Amino acid sequence: MLKVCKFGGTSMADASAIRKVKDIIESDNSRKYIVVSAPGKRNKSDIKITDTLYACYRDLADKGSFKERFALIRERFTGIVKDLNLSIDFDKILDQTEAEIAEKKSADFTASRGEYLSARIMAEYLGFEFVDAEDMIRFDSHGRLNDEYTDDKVKTRLKNIEKAVIPGFYGRNHEGKVKTFSRGGSDITGSVIARGVGADLYENWTDVSGFLVCDPRIVPDAKTIRFITYKELRELSYMGASVLHAEAIFPVMKAKIPINIKNTFKPEDAGTMIVPNEQYKSLGNEIITGIAGKKNFTVIFIEKSMMNSEVGFVRRVLSVIEHHGLCIEHVPSGIDTLSIVLESEQLKNGVLTDIVNEIRENVSPDYVHVIENISLIATVGHGMARRQGTAATLFSALAAAGINIAMIDQGSSELNIIIGVANDDYENCIKAIYNAFIN
Ligand code: ASP
């Protein structure tokens, strides 16, 4: 058994959390490759190391000096080193880091130092080897992860190292300069390392015991999801469920390595297990796996008799949106109707009026109608396809709660049903769906 473990910012926030991390790693000899984030918040009003580092970079760019701000970084890390009783000369490492930030003048390099310093401490504390992510993770000239190169490097670099600590969040670009993933990207590093070494399991340790069926701000006692497939998670995280970086599933998905979301502060909790898509058949009996949603969409509803026999109709409608450089969220359609769902944010300053006018000119519809302030809510679960009457249960629950549905889109995957409701009904809608399916 070989496990790659990633510990997030709260797990690395101070010495007391780091001691818990050590206990977790030492309690299971198969936890061999450890990926760490930079120290995160110790309490609600605290500042993440990564944010302070970005501020260091801005100070450097604007004022030519970041000394004062770097003192905060220094204080935080030396505090941890002292509390852990480490004998390493960390001042020297910090001096070197400060000099390199001044010399390189790069936002990515500066931000990456949080993970670098965190991993140096963790390697020392565990007695594991420190292996730098920049020697393994490579981005191509478009800024995308270079999978082949990275896989190969991970394999060869770690082949003869039994146990290692690796900083998350960064690698090198095609020119050899340090480049970071997007925020929260240490999750991706963990996934990449897990695939590279052919791990049996990727454990992602955070400060919650997994994904909840829905947002606990709406349903306070929402249950934890025990099993979820990569695909279901994809649908939920696209809609805003954010325990794991949305891109972190891709590297392990190809290799069919499961991810276990675990809680550093409650290691006895089973957490959520994210498994290959084909395994859903052997999982529990739940009809739905999760509910997620987002507010503030606009639906442009277009009606034209016989649109299905008009060659190029849909393309001409969509080309209007493309001309404005906008992204489309959904395109549900009927025989004579087509709806386009867009994020309202993109349609400000007269853009919506322009689009509607251009659609009228381009395809001469019988009718165009705009519905604003819409929320999209996705009900996700492989179980829905196996069970008759899922849609009926959902729609009856909403009818009983007096919620009007403005749009329905049952994706072609049979994995989810997305509905559009008024923003004002958002919370009630999620509650109604939860109560209809989860008991
Ligand atoms: N430290 C980085 C961030 O705050 C990356 C990570 O924690 O995954 O976004």
Side-chain angles (χ1 to χ4, degrees), residues 56-357:
C56 281
Y57 173 73
R58 281 195 301 275
D59 285 354
L60 176 64
D62 299 345
K63 307 185 223 156
S65 163
F66 63 104
K67 224 174 175 46
E68 258 170 60
R69 188 98 52 182
F70 195 79
L72 302 172
I73 302 280
R74 195 177 276 278
E75 192 187 311
R76 185 96 185 258
F77 278 109
T78 40
I80 293 175
V81 169
K82 188 168 156 267
D83 289 349
L84 292 175
N85 282 326
L86 299 179
S87 52
I88 185 173
D89 183 357
F90 216 69
D91 275 324
K92 196 168 144 203
I93 295 174
L94 285 162
D95 289 345
Q96 212 171 352
T97 303
E98 191 173 353
E100 278 177 326
I101 290 175
E103 182 206 318
K104 293 207 168 42
K105 296 187 176 51
S106 140
D108 278 22
F109 179 80
T110 309
S112 75
R113 294 306 88 184
E115 271 64 16
Y116 170 81
L117 295 168
S118 184
R120 290 292 303 262
I121 290 178
M122 204 62 208
E124 180 70 23
Y125 188 44
L126 290 170
F128 286 15
E129 191 163 327
F130 167 83
V131 178
D132 205 336
E134 66 174 88
D135 299 336
M136 299 184 281
I137 292 179
R138 183 65 67 105
F139 297 93
D140 65 18
S141 55
H142 303 286
R144 286 183 299 241
L145 182 73
N146 182 335
D147 286 293
E148 248 171 71
Y149 183 99
T150 301
D151 258 5
D152 197 53
K153 284 283 176 201
V154 171
K155 236 174 243 133
T156 44
R157 185 74 181 84
L158 296 176
K159 198 169 83 195
N160 297 317
I161 301 177
E162 209 218 331
K163 294 188 171 184
V165 177
I166 301 145
F169 193 37
Y170 69 94
R172 275 196 204 139
N173 68 11
H174 63 296
E175 290 171 326
K177 297 202 175 102
V178 163
K179 176 179 163 49
T180 62
F181 288 105
S182 53
R183 294 299 303 267
S186 301
D187 286 341
I188 311 175
T189 310
S191 182
V192 166
I193 301 293
R195 181 178 66 189
V197 299
D200 299 292
L201 182 65
Y202 169 28
E203 284 182 341
N204 189 289
W205 291 84
T206 174
D207 53 3
V208 290
S209 297
F211 286 88
L212 297 177
V213 171
C214 70
D215 188 337
R217 284 167 301 186
I218 300 173
V219 179
D221 57 350
K223 284 190 180 166
T224 302
I225 300 175
R226 182 69 191 94
F227 292 100
I228 185 167
T229 65
Y230 300 133
K231 265 197 190 155
E232 289 172 326
L233 182 62
R234 202 44 214 124
E235 306 272 351
L236 288 177
S237 45
Y238 157 74
M239 286 298 262
S242 61
V243 173
L244 185 75
H245 192 296
E247 288 164 42
I249 48 173
F250 297 117
V252 287
M253 188 162 92
K254 283 192 198 154
K256 298 194 194 312
I257 299 166
I259 309 173
N260 194 183
I261 306 289
K262 294 276 288 176
N263 188 347
T264 299
F265 306 93
K266 286 187 181 170
E268 63 287 354
D269 284 359
T272 298
M273 196 73 165
I274 308 163
V275 299
N277 301 321
E278 49 282 11
Q279 274 186 26
Y280 77 89
K281 291 195 190 83
S282 56
L283 302 180
N285 238 353
E286 282 81 13
I287 304 174
I288 69 158
T289 307
I291 312 157
K294 274 198 229 167
K295 284 187 172 177
N296 299 326
F297 290 90
T298 297
V299 183
I300 305 175
F301 177 85
I302 303 158
E303 190 168 335
K304 186 173 188 186
S305 303
M306 305 295 288
M307 72 160 67
N308 56 337
S309 58
E310 197 176 314
V311 175
F313 181 89
V314 176
R315 183 185 51 75
R316 275 179 286 140
V317 171
L318 296 186
S319 69
V320 171
I321 313 288
E322 190 181 343
H323 267 134
H324 284 267
L326 306 185
C327 297
I328 296 174
E329 225 59 35
H330 294 276
V331 193
S333 63
I335 309 171
D336 292 330
T337 62
L338 179 73
S339 299
I340 303 174
V341 186
L342 301 135
E343 270 188 43
S344 306
E345 184 62 30
Q346 309 183 92
L347 301 170
K348 285 180 176 162
N349 305 325
V351 175
L352 178 60
T353 316
D354 288 350
I355 287 179
V356 170
N357 289 340

Side-chain angles (χ1 to χ4, degrees), residues 11-80:
S11 308
M12 298 302 295
D14 56 20
S16 121
I18 294 174
R19 278 190 209 106
K20 294 194 167 68
V21 170
K22 187 179 194 216
D23 288 345
I24 290 167
I25 295 168
E26 291 182 345
S27 69
D28 180 346
N29 195 34
S30 61
R31 295 181 172 133
K32 294 194 191 298
Y33 300 114
I34 312 301
V35 173
V36 292
S37 280
K41 292 185 180 191
R42 289 160 291 187
N43 49 59
K44 273 218 171 94
S45 55
D46 200 11
I47 303 172
K48 289 181 173 187
I49 283 285
T50 310
D51 290 317
T52 310
L53 284 166
Y54 279 119
C56 281
Y57 173 73
R58 281 195 301 275
D59 285 354
L60 176 64
D62 299 345
K63 307 185 223 156
S65 163
F66 63 104
K67 224 174 175 46
E68 258 170 60
R69 188 98 52 182
F70 195 79
L72 302 172
I73 302 280
R74 195 177 276 278
E75 192 187 311
R76 185 96 185 258
F77 278 109
T78 40
I80 293 175

